[in-house]
């Protein structure tokens, strides 16, 4: 079994379903480029049939990225699949991601279909998608509330029809880590897996277990994890990408699994998203919150001064937080400004630093305290997407 787990980022699709997280096309392209720099394997760029805007942004992202798989989501119906392919086909490695519900409650009340009809629809949808590409993913929506043997039947149908990736979503965040582990094990045993078949998981956070369930699934053999930056997503969100990745990295002794993620890009990616959607990262958020490396109690401070590892299981630098206390204000020089924007994920040339220097001075005349958010907003407003990317993000 591969010792690499693929990171499938759905910030631009499931993440965007988070209230208040709607992004316009330029913002999505900026985020997609950041995800490429971060090293994710697959970007789910949107749901092309959902609207003209969604279609256009999936198409634009497909053209904007250079070395990454781009997936589009579609229901298991012909017109959705055709539209999806139209949107992703010009990407470096297009993927069609088609889904269909398999739980008794979804089949009866949402779809109005019998289990046999769902199997037939799976066969028809995956075969149709496989005419366009061999890179087809099939998701059994609400898998964690589906009957296990029915899931085996549906997934085996999907494999036979040409699906390479089989996704097991915990759509409503209902499952528990040990149960999800056992389900993935069961599927690994019962499915007619081919050499290139990959089991994927997609966990929601309704009970706060999305990351724990994803990690349990990896231990059981899942080799693709679907997640979002900062865990944004429908309702309580999805598994947080940075938490899954740092869980695997920090406990390499347990998992012994690699990802392609450049961990130093985790913090810049969360900041970039926060700045784009205009929502701050909660201070208590694991890994990337302001307090994640702050030590308040005297006992802890004493320990950290003697040896950081007494109370720190990872370094701020490993996720791209430089931990400097550079405070930007009226008296800051260009070196401090350059360093600060680097911390925020930008690498600027001298002329761009000069422009930021002037902008900060101007701001300092109007505002007593300048926060990182102010510097970041000014930086992203000042430099166009092209300038920012040619300046390359750190
Ligand atoms: O939560 C879910 O089931 C989904 C699927 C469409 C993958 O987002
Ligand atoms: Zn979802």
């Amino acid at each position: 079994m591969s010792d690499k787990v693929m990171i499938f980022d759905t910030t631009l699709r499931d993440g965007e379903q988070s209230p208040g997280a709607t992004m316009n096309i330029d913002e999505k392209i900026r985020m997609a480029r950041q995800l490429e720099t971060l090293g994710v394997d697959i970007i789910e760029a949107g749901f092309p049939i959902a609207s003209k805007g969604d279609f256009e942004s999936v198409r634009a992202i497909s053209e904007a990225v250079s070395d990454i798989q781009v997936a589009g989501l579609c229901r298991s119906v012909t017109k959705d699949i055709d539209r999806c392919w139209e949107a992703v086909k010009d990407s470096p490695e297009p993927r069609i991601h088609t889904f269909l519900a398999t739980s008794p409650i979804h089949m009866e009340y949402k779809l109005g279909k019998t289990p046999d009809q769902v199997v037939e629809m799976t066969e028809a949808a995956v075969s149709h998608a496989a005419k366009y590409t061999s890179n087809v993913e099939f998701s059994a929506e609400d898998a964690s509330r589906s009957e296990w043997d029915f899931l085996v039947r549906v997934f085996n149908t999907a494999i036979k029809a040409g699906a390479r990736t089989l996704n097991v979503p915990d759509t409503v965040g209902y499952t528990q880590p040990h149960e999800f582990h056992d389900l993935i094990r069961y599927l690994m045993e019962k499915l007619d897996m081919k050499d290139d078949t990959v089991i994927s998981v997609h966990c929601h956070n309704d009970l706060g277990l999305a990351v724990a369930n994803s990690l349990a699934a990896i231990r059981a053999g899942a080799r693709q994890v679907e997640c979002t930056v900062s865990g944004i997503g429908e309702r309580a969100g999805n598994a947080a990408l940075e938490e899954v990745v740092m869980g695997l990295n920090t406990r390499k002794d347990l998992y012994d699994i690699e990802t392609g993620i450049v961990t130093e890009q985790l913090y810049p990616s969360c900041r970039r998203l926060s700045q784009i959607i205009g929502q701050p990262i909660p201070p208590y958020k694991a890994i990337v919150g302001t307090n994640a490396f702050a030590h308040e109690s005297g006992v802890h401070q004493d320990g950290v001064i003697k040896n950081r590892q007494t109370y720190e299981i990872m370094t701020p630098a490993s996720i791209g937080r430089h931990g400097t206390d550079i405070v930007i204000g009226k008296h800051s020089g260009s070196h401090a400004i350059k360093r600060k924007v680097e911390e925020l994920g930008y690498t600027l040339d001298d002329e761009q630093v000069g422009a930021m220097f002037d902008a900060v001075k101007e701001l300092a005349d109007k505002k007593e305290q300048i926060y990182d958010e102010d510097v970041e907003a000014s930086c992203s407003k000042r430099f166009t997407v092209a300038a920012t990317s040619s300046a390359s993000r750190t």
Side-chain angles (χ1 to χ4, degrees), residues 13-14 73 97 99 139 141-142 167 169 171 202 204 226:
R13 199 281 295 170
D14 221 336
L73 184 69
H97 177 192
F99 72 99
S139 281
E141 192 190 8
D142 206 16
N167 186 35
T171 303
H202 174 114
H204 278 273
E226 303 197 352

